[in-house]
Amino acid sequence: MTAFRVGLSADFTRADGKPTFPSYDLSPLAADGVELVPLAKAAVLSAAQVAGFDAIVLLGERMAADSFPSDGRLALIARMGVGYDTIDTDACTAHDVALTITPDAVRRPMASAQVCFILALAHKLVAKDRIARTGTLGWPARIDNHGMGLVGRTIGSVGVGNIGAEMFKLLKAFDVRMIAHDPYADAAKLAEIGIEAVSLEAVFEQSDVVTFNCPLNAETKAIGSARMIARMKPTAYLVNTSRGPVVDQKALYDALVTGGIAGAAIDVFDPEPPAADEPILRLDNVLTAPHSLGWTDQMFATMGDVNRGAIADVNAGRAPANVVNRAVLDRPGFKAKLAGR
């Protein structure tokens, strides 16, 4: 039997050769004869790059319909994180390839990142930091920068997946009202957490902070539209750590400069990375992060554990956990790949 070959995202290695994510560790797989091979850097992987691999581990690269090689060897794409809008899932299934994600790795780090943004906005942290740095000249400006207390305030979410549910669990300590719109969520399970299921319009109209915890797809693209943002209170904040395109970025900018809303915090942009002259980056009532606010040593260590488990399962002929395209598990071609290990 040939060695099980795994292609690793080029994002794993910095220009100086050092690991980008030191806590992410797949090296224990070597004990089972797994060969780890760095992939060449590419925005969209080609079939030639992927040929000869049994599995690939990806972060930022895209897999299009024509990225799948004809050798029929690829059985697993282990995606770091929970977003998979960069991967053609239908093509994965058609080529008998399982696509896995790492929900256990991102749940707490991303939920705490959202809470970080909410607290920073509520306490006007950036404005107060700037004031403190001006010394005696700027100090009097603190009187004009009172924050927003959270007790009794309404935190709303567009979508409630693992991260959204975890965010609300963390927010319970702040005695907030919690509402959300998610047509696919179990209302009873939301109620167990203390979340009130409401309409999409109600999330925007009633929330003091609107957050986004939905995947990017045809249904959610620009769900934070100009029409919805216009429903927000002028004292409300918008927090997006999901994907940039779920919010109409131009409409958000317009609301921020006209006083339609009080401020925003965004870890994601449309497009990414944003241009240096992107107007929203120049606003004082916006907090930003480069799609990495939730990145922690613990996040990547757990990602390594989860991805390592998925690779080990496929190498041993077992179906992995956290498969996105569940239909592939019943396909004869995928079963044959597992049986051939």
Side-chain angles (χ1 to χ4, degrees):
M1 183 182 295
T2 58
F4 193 90
R5 300 184 75 237
V6 178
L8 303 181
S9 170
D11 294 329
F12 287 173
T13 306
R14 304 190 327 183
D16 61 5
K18 295 180 180 178
T20 309
F21 315 109
S23 61
Y24 184 93
D25 186 14
L26 298 181
S27 62
L29 291 169
D32 295 322
V34 173
E35 183 182 354
L36 303 175
V37 183
L39 292 169
K41 193 166 185 64
V44 182
L45 292 176
S46 68
Q49 288 176 287
V50 180
F53 288 107
D54 299 283
I56 53 176
V57 182
L58 302 182
L59 182 58
E61 298 91 343
R62 291 181 174 274
M63 282 287 287
D66 59 359
S67 298
F68 294 81
S70 59
D71 62 9
R73 184 167 174 176
L74 187 67
L76 172 68
I77 298 175
R79 178 72 170 76
M80 297 173 68
V82 292
Y84 49 89
D85 49 286
T86 55
I87 311 296
D88 188 326
T89 54
D90 290 337
C92 286
T93 302
H95 289 86
D96 299 314
V97 177
L99 169 63
T100 63
I101 54 177
T102 61
D104 290 340
V106 303
R107 182 183 297 112
R108 176 58 66 88
M110 287 309 305
S112 62
Q114 288 180 310
V115 174
C116 172
F117 263 158
I118 292 170
L119 293 176
L121 288 169
H123 288 276
K124 296 195 173 182
L125 178 62
V126 173
K128 291 177 180 178
D129 174 79
R130 290 171 181 156
I131 290 168
R133 294 172 188 271
T134 63
T136 55
L137 291 177
W139 203 262
R142 63 182 181 161
I143 199 169
D144 298 319
N145 284 276
H146 291 187
M148 178 185 72
L150 292 180
V151 175
R153 304 287 184 178
T154 299
I155 310 297
S157 181
V158 178
V160 187
N162 288 327
I163 295 172
E166 188 75 4
M167 177 198 73
F168 279 124
K169 290 174 183 177
L170 294 176
L171 286 170
K172 276 188 173 183
F174 296 93
D175 296 323
V176 297
R177 176 188 176 219
M178 303 183 292
I179 64 173
H181 172 74
D182 190 331
Y184 303 103
D186 185 328
K189 290 184 178 179
L190 296 185
E192 288 178 6
I193 300 172
I195 305 167
E196 178 185 351
V198 299
S199 67
L200 180 64
E201 291 77 8
V203 169
F204 284 89
E205 291 169 357
Q206 299 178 24
S207 298
D208 295 293
V209 181
V210 174
T211 66
F212 291 82
N213 286 284
C214 55
L216 173 61
N217 52 41
E219 189 177 356
T220 62
K221 185 174 182 179
I223 195 170
S225 63
R227 184 174 69 87
M228 287 298 167
I229 293 173
R231 291 175 176 267
M232 293 176 65
K233 305 173 186 178
T235 55
Y237 296 98
L238 183 148
V239 172
N240 186 13
T241 60
S242 172
R243 286 292 188 270
V246 304
V247 173
D248 182 330
Q249 195 162 291
K250 175 61 167 59
L252 175 59
Y253 173 82
D254 291 341
L256 289 163
V257 297
T258 61
I261 63 174
I266 48 179
D267 185 41
V268 288
F269 298 85
D270 183 19
E272 286 189 351
D277 60 352
E278 163 59 45
I280 208 165
L281 298 176
R282 300 197 297 267
L283 300 181
D284 290 337
N285 57 346
V286 177
L287 305 182
T288 62
H291 201 154
S292 62
L293 188 63
W295 288 11
T296 66
D297 54 347
Q298 293 177 342
M299 170 190 272
F300 285 99
T302 307
M303 278 187 186
D305 292 342
V306 176
N307 286 159
R308 194 167 64 244
I311 294 167
D313 281 339
V314 173
N315 187 28
R318 300 185 297 264
N322 303 308
V323 175
V324 172
N325 54 332
R326 300 288 300 174
V328 77
L329 300 179
D330 296 321
R331 287 176 61 88
F334 180 70
K335 290 181 177 180
K337 289 180 180 180
L338 294 183
R341 295 311 308 163

